[in-house]
Amino acid sequence: MLAFTKILRFEKLIQNPVCLFRSLHKEPIPVAWEKPKIGWTKLNFDGSSKGKAGKASIGGLFRNHKADFLLGYAEPIGRANSIIAELAALRRGLELVLENGWSDVWLEGDAKTLLQIIAQRRQIRCAEAQRHISHINLIIPEINNCILTHIYREGNRAADKFAQMGHLCGKPQVWQHIPPNQVLSIMHEDAEGKIVFRKR
């Protein structure tokens, strides 16, 4: 088993007990984006694929403990399925972490299975996906402290917006310090701790 010299943890922000008997009237799940601790940088990332293996794009954004916007990115990646798009979004985000010298980083996405694969360092059969995973696993140990968590898509709306914008970009785009207008309302709601209910 490979040992990590740095901190890598997989956490679920919202964890629900497993019930053997489920009610026909299921209660919605409250979901809210959470600010990182002081000194930490938080990346929310997302991938988008139109169709089974259609046109794909990626996006994500970095915020600090005050929910201030630090950097955002969006770009088209050609044809890919949703798993490849999610992996590419995380990989690009990690590359930007290294470029900007952030050392304490919280990574958060809404693809639960993918995050489990990364956290458990599992191998998968798809060669293209495995290339992304291998690259991701090389970058993560370079980060001083790294937390990897899952959040439902209702709490990942800002990253989803960047990923959707990627479909419209002709080339990779990066925004620094000033976010695009399309995400301002979502970012404000995140900063205020707005709860979005997820239907079961």
Side-chain angles (χ1 to χ4, degrees):
M1 180 177 179
L2 295 175
F4 271 76
T5 56
K6 309 297 181 182
I7 298 173
L8 172 61
R9 292 182 291 157
F10 175 77
E11 300 173 355
K12 289 170 62 180
L13 292 182
I14 300 174
Q15 187 172 1
N16 300 290
V18 176
C19 299
L20 295 178
F21 300 96
R22 295 178 181 270
S23 169
L24 293 176
H25 302 286
K26 298 173 182 177
E27 293 294 326
I29 302 170
V31 183
W33 182 82
E34 188 176 323
K35 298 174 186 176
K37 295 178 181 179
I38 295 176
W40 283 69
T41 301
K42 186 173 184 180
L43 164 65
N44 282 86
F45 63 92
D46 199 14
S48 173
S49 178
K50 297 183 180 297
K52 188 174 181 180
K55 295 175 65 177
S57 61
I58 63 173
L61 71 161
F62 295 86
R63 287 172 280 190
N64 64 15
H65 67 281
K66 295 181 180 180
D68 294 332
F69 178 84
L70 302 176
L71 184 149
Y73 61 97
E75 62 182 83
I77 59 169
R79 293 191 175 275
N81 60 33
S82 59
I83 294 296
I84 299 298
E86 293 281 355
L87 286 168
L90 175 55
R91 176 176 174 173
R92 179 61 180 137
L94 286 168
E95 290 170 348
L96 289 167
V97 167
L98 295 184
E99 289 176 17
N100 287 272
W102 291 314
S103 58
D104 301 311
V105 183
W106 179 356
L107 313 170
E108 188 170 73
D110 56 29
K112 181 179 177 182
T113 301
L114 180 151
L115 296 176
Q116 289 174 332
I117 290 170
I118 299 296
Q120 298 168 11
R121 299 179 67 85
R122 284 155 46 188
Q123 300 287 317
I124 59 175
R125 294 182 179 179
C126 175
E128 184 178 1
Q130 188 58 53
R131 282 195 296 271
H132 283 294
I133 291 171
S134 296
H135 190 76
I136 288 166
N137 285 336
L138 286 175
I139 295 176
I140 287 177
E142 297 297 316
I143 303 170
N144 185 45
N145 291 308
C146 183
I147 299 174
L148 180 64
T149 66
H150 166 260
I151 191 169
Y152 291 120
R153 63 178 178 270
E154 288 81 1
N156 205 38
R157 295 178 299 146
D160 175 71
K161 179 63 72 173
F162 273 98
Q164 295 302 322
M165 289 166 56
H167 286 292
L168 305 177
C169 295
K171 59 182 181 180
Q173 297 285 325
V174 173
W175 294 261
Q176 290 185 307
H177 307 301
I178 301 175
N181 293 333
Q182 295 94 316
V183 299
L184 289 177
S185 62
I186 297 174
M187 287 184 56
H188 177 73
E189 291 174 350
D190 283 350
E192 294 295 316
K194 178 180 179 179
I195 294 174
V196 181
F197 288 93
R198 174 183 175 85
K199 294 181 180 180
R200 292 180 185 264

